């Protein structure tokens, strides 16, 4: 393809060669069933103990859950969705001013996952924004649509509050002090991927994103209410997670799997694409401070349980994650303690 992004207005009747997965790696959409028992947790519940218990069960059994009555305003979500759609509707030459394939750039539009090194591309364009501290990064965000900065800033603030609150519940569900995770992860970074998946002529041949786990601590995903696309791996089968009104999908990331000594699983998930409609999703990531030393929580190994993972800094982990293909074996495997 001659253009750098797929959302360029060019209509494709066939999938370009560079997006076609080998037969053994295709999504097999006809074999995917719906995830019937997605945990939906009401954070408005007045019984904190009940929320903590439900989150613990979801983290052990699924590695993800949905939350409702989460405290992020309906208006903040609506405005975020509007400016995200508005950005991807901009003329292609306007969007390309932000295009970069350098993952160290803090504001950039790009496509696929890691265009420089992958052999098959993914049917996705995305706008990646660093979001914390806001006063450092907001000035470099897009100025179009005109309300973009203000709307995204408000959304980021509310989502951060939600993420930090969920980390407290997760800590308590492991029997830790509620601030344990916050203290280990340090001053957490926050970034966002606004994902745009244009209509795809042959969705059974490619992915929006192939199966992967998230390298961070916690992911807060705003799904497109009109077009499903998120699928998770459970008991060896891919299951579709349909959008739930006014809910966020919460994914456990690799760092919480390590911190929980493997009790909680970083969920394998993927995005599939649609032949008729574009799909938009907004993934917000809370990430440990680069210097944070990640290792299994001490109270979880005091009874003589073996520490599954060695200690490492988040910077070391993230560098390793970006040097590989997205769908290679779980990056955490590289940080396991050798069994004696």
């Amino acid at each position: 393809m001659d253009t750098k992004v797929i959302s360029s207005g060019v209509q494709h009747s066939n999938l370009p060669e560079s997006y076609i997965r080998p037969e053994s790696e295709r999504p097999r959409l006809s074999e995917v069933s719906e995830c019937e028992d997605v945990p939906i947790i009401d954070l408005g519940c007045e019984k904190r103990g009940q929320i903590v218990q439900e989150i613990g069960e979801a983290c052990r059994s699924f590695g993800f859950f949905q939350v409702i009555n989460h405290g992020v305003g309906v208006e903040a979500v609506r405005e975020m969705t509007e400016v995200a759609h508005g950005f991807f509707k901009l003329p292609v030459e306007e969007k390309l001013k932000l295009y970069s394939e350098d993952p160290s750039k803090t504001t950039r539009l790009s496509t696929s996952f890691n265009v420089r090194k992958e052999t098959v591309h993914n049917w996705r364009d995305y706008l990646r924004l660093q979001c914390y501290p806001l006063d450092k990064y907001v000035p470099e965000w897009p100025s179009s649509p005109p309300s973009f900065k203000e709307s995204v800033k408000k959304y980021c603030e509310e989502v951060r509050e939600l993420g930090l609150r969920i980390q407290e519940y997760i800590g308590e569900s492991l029997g830790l002090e509620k601030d344990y995770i916050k203290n280990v992860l340090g001053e957490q970074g926050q970034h966002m991927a606004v994902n745009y998946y244009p209509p795809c002529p042959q969705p059974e041949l490619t992915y929006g994103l192939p199966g992967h786990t998230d390298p961070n601590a916690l992911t807060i995903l705003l799904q497109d209410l009109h077009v499903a696309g998120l699928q998770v791996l459970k008991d060896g089968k891919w299951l579709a997670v349909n959008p739930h009104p006014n809910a966020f999908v919460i994914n456990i990331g690799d760092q919480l799997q390590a911190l929980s000594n493997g009790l909680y699983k970083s969920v394998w998930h993927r995005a599939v694409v649609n032949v008729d409609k574009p799909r938009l999703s907004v993934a917000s990531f809370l990430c440990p401070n680069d210097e944070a030393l990640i290792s299994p929580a001490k109270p979880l190994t005091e009874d003589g349980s073996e520490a599954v993972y060695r200690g490492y800094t988040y910077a070391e982990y993230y560098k390793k994650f970006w040097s590989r293909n997205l769908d290679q074996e779980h990056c955490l495997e590289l940080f396991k303690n050798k069994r004696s």
Side-chain angles (χ1 to χ4, degrees):
M1 296 205 328
D2 7 338
T3 179
K4 289 179 169 174
V5 291
I6 332 169
S7 53
S8 60
V10 177
Q11 297 295 318
H12 296 275
S13 49
N14 288 303
L15 197 63
E17 187 83 18
S18 60
Y19 290 83
I20 297 175
R21 293 258 156 194
E23 198 157 336
S24 61
E25 295 174 19
R26 290 175 190 171
R28 301 186 187 179
L29 299 173
S30 60
E31 295 173 20
V32 174
S33 50
E34 195 178 314
C35 189
E36 304 278 3
D37 49 354
V38 178
I40 296 176
I41 297 169
D42 183 353
L43 298 187
C45 170
E46 290 177 5
K47 297 176 181 167
R48 187 178 181 94
Q50 183 179 326
I51 295 174
V52 167
Q53 183 188 347
E54 288 179 5
I55 283 181
E57 286 170 10
C59 291
R60 266 190 300 277
S61 306
F62 288 82
F64 81 101
F65 49 93
Q66 299 206 55
V67 292
I68 55 172
N69 295 322
H70 40 65
V72 179
V74 174
E75 200 60 16
V77 170
R78 185 186 63 76
E79 288 179 12
M80 176 71 234
T81 307
E82 276 182 12
V83 294
H85 276 293
F87 174 81
F88 281 101
K89 284 178 181 159
L90 291 173
V92 68
E93 57 275 10
E94 182 72 20
K95 288 185 289 197
L96 286 178
K97 290 174 186 171
L98 290 169
Y99 184 86
S100 172
E101 291 167 14
D102 177 1
S104 67
K105 278 202 79 157
T106 49
T107 295
R108 67 187 183 107
L109 173 71
S110 196
T111 191
S112 193
F113 173 70
N114 191 343
V115 183
R116 290 176 174 180
K117 63 186 293 294
E118 63 201 11
T119 48
V120 182
H121 300 319
N122 306 309
W123 197 258
R124 166 183 88 137
D125 290 338
Y126 62 96
L127 176 65
R128 187 170 279 277
L129 307 173
Q130 285 288 347
C131 309
Y132 187 85
L134 281 164
D135 53 4
K136 179 177 177 182
Y137 295 114
V138 170
E140 62 186 49
W141 289 358
S143 300
S144 290
S147 58
F148 187 95
K149 289 180 179 176
E150 203 44 52
S151 298
V152 178
K153 178 172 179 280
K154 180 181 171 195
Y155 178 83
C156 286
E157 288 169 336
E158 295 192 24
V159 161
R160 184 178 183 85
E161 285 298 309
L162 170 62
L164 295 175
R165 187 153 53 105
I166 288 172
Q167 286 180 358
E168 287 186 358
Y169 295 140
I170 290 171
E172 288 178 57
S173 73
L174 286 164
L176 306 171
E177 294 291 325
K178 75 172 187 178
D179 288 340
Y180 187 97
I181 291 176
K182 185 172 79 172
N183 293 339
V184 168
L185 302 186
E187 191 68 8
Q188 291 181 64
Q190 180 181 352
H191 59 106
M192 170 192 285
V194 184
N195 299 309
Y196 184 77
Y197 305 97
C200 176
Q202 294 168 294
E204 66 286 353
L205 301 183
T206 193
Y207 287 106
L209 276 174
H212 64 285
T213 63
D214 289 339
N216 49 293
L218 199 69
T219 302
I220 301 153
L221 178 74
L222 176 62
Q223 283 221 73
D224 191 318
L225 274 183
H226 307 292
V227 188
L230 173 66
Q231 297 182 350
V232 298
L233 189 64
K234 186 166 192 305
D235 303 326
K237 293 198 174 88
W238 285 102
L239 302 172
V241 179
N242 288 333
H244 188 281
N246 303 316
F248 286 104
V249 178
I250 309 295
N251 281 2
I252 297 297
D254 293 353
Q255 308 317 312
L256 290 186
Q257 177 168 328
L259 194 141
S260 74
N261 205 30
L263 291 173
Y264 292 174
K265 299 290 183 261
S266 177
V267 67
W268 283 88
H269 56 288
R270 66 186 189 181
V272 296
V273 286
N274 186 287
V275 72
D276 301 313
K277 299 174 184 165
R279 175 175 175 261
L280 184 123
S281 71
V282 181
S284 297
F285 308 99
L286 285 182
C287 315
N289 188 283
D290 275 355
E291 304 314 310
L293 188 62
I294 311 292
S295 62
K298 287 207 169 44
L300 301 180
T301 56
E302 279 170 351
D303 63 355
S305 298
E306 195 176 345
V308 178
Y309 304 102
R310 68 171 175 84
Y312 55 85
T313 64
Y314 183 59
E316 182 189 357
Y317 191 92
Y318 202 66
K319 187 177 177 193
K320 187 77 76 179
F321 181 88
W322 267 96
S323 69
R324 309 158 76 250
N325 284 335
L326 186 61
D327 49 356
Q328 271 181 288
E329 74 163 350
H330 199 171
C331 191
L332 259 184
E333 292 292 315
L334 307 174
F335 294 87
K336 273 189 165 175
N337 277 319
K338 304 272 188 291
R339 294 188 180 277
S340 50

